[in-house]
Structures are given as structure tokens and as C-alpha cells.
Amino acid sequence: MKARVTVTLKNGVLDPQGKAIEGALGGLGFDGVASVRQGKVFDVEMRHTEAAAAQAELAEICEKLLANTVIEDYAIELM
Amino acid sequence: MKTAVIVFPGSNRDRDMFRALELVTGSRPQSIWHADATLPDVDLVVVPGGFSYGDYLRSGAIAARSPILKDLVAKAAQGVTVLGVCNGFQILTEAGLLPGALMRNAGLNFVCKEVLLETVTDATRFSLKFEKGQVWRCPVAHHDGNYFADADTLKALEDNGQVVFRYANGTNPNGSINDIAGIMNGAGNVLGMMPHPENLVEPLHGGTDGRLLFESLLSKAA
């Protein structure tokens, strides 16, 4: 079973890289961009065949390693 | 005072730390490989600077899950003194030994320069040889030194006297909240700091301001 984990900075946590990208897009003339937040994507292939088991293990994986929950949120999407 | 330095793949300030510790304590620190299971019986364990695991995932994230960290967490709970410098600070926060997190520098650049630090409190084993409020020179070299903690954590750190070192006189190089350069845990035996006191301990470094930190630990252990 394939899964995609997305890790993003929590709201209110300054994202200087997102800000720099935002500035560069403005410089390129993309006037439609209001703001950019940068994050990370992990494509994980799980051995589980049951979605609930995969979801539960991925949540633990996110808490223990993939996300630093002091500053980051995560979202799990089973594909 | 018996000391040990943990070495990870990608540590690069470990030898600077060996030299500073040997200079101040008069005995050679033990070098402990990250894959080892247990730390020796020492008074001080140092987690040195560098780029453990190439800063993959997040600075310090992989190192914080190394085998030796289990024993470091156990030893810290027993009251052994732990000092994390630069990447070591990042590793200690990732391991949950210190609150908060170290994020990308606000200016996005790697900073390698000298800053001024204020010793906020001299009532710790890491700072007792300083005067309270003393401002001293210290080098920094990092990309992810922007300390962040949520408002409640920050208030607790400030109220409990856990902020030990602050960037002084407008020299905050990374956007760190409240100008925080170094914090300790509630029990007072674990300290993490981004600046490198080990790199200003002998006249050839251009100064010896950083020695006071190691001399504090030495006098505490004596």
C-alpha cells in the first residue's frame, strides 16, 4: 500500500524559505501569489494491506521521526 | 573531571571539543561512537557540533535516534551533566532532552562569525564562573540556529531561569526568539547552545572567553 506523508510548518511558525520563494515569484511577475509555505513530501510504501493498520503505523512514524511536532504538522494520505 | 564526547557520522567539531576539554580538565576525553550502546561512567558528556547525517530530514533528527542516545537520555535522567553545542543543541532538542526546536536562520544564510553573549544567570553549573550579566565573545557557525518554542514553553523557560545565554548588543545572528543562544533543562544538568565556546579557549584562538564555561563545569565537578 502506498502512502504520501506531507509535513508542513505549523501556522504561526516563521518560514524564511517560503518567504524567499514568495519574493522570487513576485520578482518573476507572478502577481497572483499571496503567500508560499514550504514543506516536505515523503512517499512511503507500506507492507500493510489494511488501511487502518497502515494509517496507525504511519501516524506513529510521523510522531517519532518524520515530523518535529514542536514546529511541524503532518498529513497522511493513503493512495 | 572525566568527560566523553559522542561522535556521529558527520560530526566535525568533536576534535575542537576534545582539545578544549583536555586543556581545561587536564585529562583526555573519551571518544564514544554513536552506534555504541552505553556511555562510560563520566561527569560530563558532550554532544559536539557538525553536520551529523548530513543534516538529512532535519538538523540532528537522525542522530537523535542513534543507539547511544537511549543511554544519553537515561544518564541525563540520573543527573549526569550533558552539554550540546551547535549540532549538539539540535540533537538534544530532537531527542526531547531540551524543549523547543532550531529552525533555519531567519536570514537564510549560513553564519560563521563572532557574536557577543550575555550570561543571563550565573546560578547554573554551566555558568557559575561568569558574572551574572557578563558579556563575552563567542564564535558561531551554523545554518539552523533560529531557536523557536511556543509561547507557554518560552514563558516557562524565562520564568524558571532556564535561559542561560542570550545574544547581546544586537548580535543575534539567526532570528532566535528572545535572542536565545543557550538553554538548559528544568533539572539544570542539560544545556544546549548554538555558539562554540570550545573555539575560544586559548590565546591562538584570539581569546579565552569560552574557557569560563568549561571552568564552571570543572569547579562544579571538583
Side-chain angles (χ1 to χ4, degrees):
Chain A
M1 183 175 291
K2 288 183 177 171
R4 175 162 285 183
V5 174
T6 310
V7 175
T8 48
L9 286 169
K10 285 181 195 278
N11 284 335
V13 174
L14 180 72
D15 176 14
Q17 293 177 100
K19 281 275 172 223
I21 294 164
E22 202 179 297
L25 289 174
L28 287 169
F30 290 105
D31 296 332
V33 177
S35 76
V36 178
R37 303 279 284 170
Q38 182 175 312
K40 295 172 189 156
V41 168
F42 304 86
D43 285 329
V44 186
E45 199 160 341
M46 302 294 288
R47 291 204 181 88
H48 296 280
T49 49
E50 279 181 38
Q55 179 84 25
E57 189 166 3
L58 282 164
E60 196 180 346
I61 286 169
C62 288
E63 292 283 338
K64 285 199 173 161
L65 184 63
L66 294 188
N68 179 340
T69 54
V70 174
I71 49 171
E72 294 170 327
D73 289 325
Y74 60 86
I76 298 162
E77 184 192 351
L78 296 173
M79 335 256 288
Chain B
M1 182 168 73
K2 287 184 291 182
T3 62
V5 178
I6 301 177
V7 181
F8 301 89
S11 294
N12 66 6
R13 299 297 183 109
D14 44 331
R15 292 182 186 208
D16 304 44
M17 190 57 77
F18 290 149
R19 188 174 167 88
L21 290 172
E22 187 166 4
L23 194 70
V24 175
T25 68
S27 55
R28 187 146 181 79
Q30 297 188 58
S31 170
I32 307 300
W33 185 234
H34 73 112
D36 290 353
T38 52
L39 289 157
D41 185 19
V42 294
D43 306 297
L44 167 68
V45 181
V46 181
V47 188
F51 299 87
S52 57
Y53 294 91
D55 282 349
Y56 291 176
L57 187 60
R58 298 177 303 275
S59 299
I62 308 287
R65 280 79 181 172
S66 289
I68 198 70
L69 259 289
K70 275 204 182 92
D71 197 43
L72 184 69
V73 170
K75 292 277 196 318
Q78 291 162 19
V80 171
T81 304
V82 178
L83 169 66
V85 170
C86 199
N87 189 218
F89 187 12
Q90 295 160 345
I91 293 167
L92 294 181
T93 58
E94 280 284 345
L97 282 171
L98 291 171
L102 291 144
M103 304 183 35
R104 181 51 44 101
N105 293 344
L108 291 174
N109 289 321
F110 187 97
V111 290
C112 183
K113 62 201 276 193
E114 191 175 285
V115 298
L116 293 172
L117 297 181
E118 178 200 352
T119 298
V120 181
T121 166
D122 60 354
T124 83
R125 68 182 72 179
F126 302 94
S127 61
L128 57 90
K129 286 278 185 181
F130 292 91
E131 301 290 329
K132 183 176 186 312
Q134 185 173 338
V135 173
W136 50 291
R137 300 163 49 210
C138 198
V140 293
H142 59 249
H143 208 168
D144 297 313
N146 184 352
Y147 183 78
F148 175 85
D150 63 58
D152 291 345
T153 305
L154 198 61
K155 183 172 187 319
L157 285 172
E158 295 283 1
D159 291 352
N160 299 337
Q162 290 171 248
V163 177
V164 182
F165 302 116
R166 248 189 256 281
Y167 300 110
N169 302 357
T171 62
N172 184 341
N174 52 38
S176 180
I177 200 162
N178 287 18
D179 293 330
I180 285 173
I183 57 162
M184 64 176 186
N185 64 343
N189 66 310
V190 178
L191 180 125
M193 62 190 297
M194 287 312 297
H196 288 278
E198 76 277 18
N199 288 137
L200 204 63
V201 294
E202 49 194 324
L204 270 177
H205 287 159
T208 59
D209 295 36
R211 275 188 82 121
L212 284 178
L213 189 148
F214 300 100
E215 284 170 2
S216 297
L217 291 170
L218 183 64
S219 73
K220 169 73 181 173

